[in-house]
Amino acid sequence: KTGNEKWVQTLNNGDGFFLPPIVITNTLSGDLVLCATESAAINIYDAQSGQLLQSLSLGATAEGGLAFSEGLLVVPAGNNVLGII
């Protein structure tokens, strides 16, 4: 609300973020930020602290965007569409 930077997350080994992140609120783990990486992973961060909570391998780079509804994360990756709960 102040415009001040709250946290920054930098990837290792020259990896980069591939798609715009999405924010998921009110989960059992709190508020989350999900980011697709160029190395075919979804990184899940705590929205308050920026701490990496989990990294999920997709097997192929995410394409087009991420979607979330009613507990289901949908990710198009390569020739697959993944539904992740």
Side-chain angles (χ1 to χ4, degrees):
K1 298 181 184 183
T2 65
N4 294 331
E5 189 173 275
K6 187 166 186 169
W7 53 267
V8 174
Q9 191 57 251
T10 303
L11 297 175
N12 296 325
N13 304 320
D15 198 6
F17 294 109
F18 193 69
L19 297 171
I22 63 171
V23 176
I24 302 173
T25 59
N26 300 318
T27 75
L28 294 176
S29 299
D31 297 344
L32 306 174
V33 176
L34 282 69
C35 299
T37 71
E38 292 174 348
S39 63
I42 296 289
N43 287 353
I44 304 170
Y45 301 95
D46 180 282
Q48 298 302 313
S49 69
Q51 177 184 357
L52 178 64
L53 301 175
Q54 188 171 8
S55 185
L56 304 171
S57 177
L58 298 175
T61 304
E63 300 174 6
L66 308 173
F68 182 83
S69 180
E70 298 186 25
L72 178 66
L73 174 65
V74 179
V75 182
N79 62 350
N80 296 307
V81 175
L82 304 166
I84 303 168
I85 54 172

